[in-house]
Amino acid sequence: AVAGGAVAAAVAACSELVESLPETHRTLIKVLTNLRDRPSEPKYRRLRLANPQVKRVLGDVEQARRILECVGFCERPDEAADGSGASSSGTVLVCEGGKLDEPLVIQLLDLLTGLAAGR
């Protein structure tokens, strides 16, 4: 029941984004397209919130966060790029291991692109 509620919230969030936040809508389509086309590619499963544009367009937008969390993303401390394990100043939204819900990525991507076409 919880998963169904999360999906319903994500679908509602998609509808809210089309008119009110077109840049977020376009960016989510890009993120979900990358996940659909390359689900095992690590670089498409990490969104650095230290990047001001990512933070503004996705990280600070509640509807975008709902959609990303629904497909498997969660917030984690960012690790240093050198692999030392030291924590950097930021956080990332990351979709780890088997947490990616690929059928839901496709469903939400279809919904977002359909809403864009219907504008």
Side-chain angles (χ1 to χ4, degrees):
V2 172
V7 172
V11 169
C14 289
S15 299
E16 293 172 23
L17 288 175
V18 177
E19 292 298 326
S20 61
L21 299 162
E23 186 177 10
T24 297
H25 179 250
R26 285 189 305 272
T27 303
L28 274 171
I29 288 174
K30 181 69 172 167
V31 168
L32 294 175
T33 299
N34 286 337
L35 286 171
R36 181 198 62 201
D37 295 347
R38 298 172 207 86
S40 60
E41 185 89 30
K43 73 179 182 180
Y44 297 120
R45 296 170 71 109
R46 290 178 62 86
L47 302 168
R48 292 186 188 278
L49 296 178
N51 177 319
Q53 183 172 355
V54 170
K55 185 172 182 345
R56 179 179 58 79
V57 174
L58 297 176
D60 290 343
V61 178
E62 181 183 342
Q63 298 95 324
R65 293 289 287 256
R66 274 191 259 149
I67 291 166
L68 292 169
E69 288 170 3
C70 190
V71 299
F73 280 86
C74 59
E75 190 168 327
R76 297 270 189 262
D78 197 1
E79 295 180 1
D82 65 5
S84 69
S87 184
S88 71
S89 61
T91 56
V92 293
L93 291 173
V94 62
C95 187
E96 300 172 319
K99 293 185 180 179
L100 180 64
D101 187 337
E102 291 182 55
L104 187 56
V105 167
I106 293 166
Q107 180 183 354
L108 291 172
L109 182 57
D110 288 347
L111 178 63
L112 284 166
T113 53
L115 289 170
R119 283 203 297 176

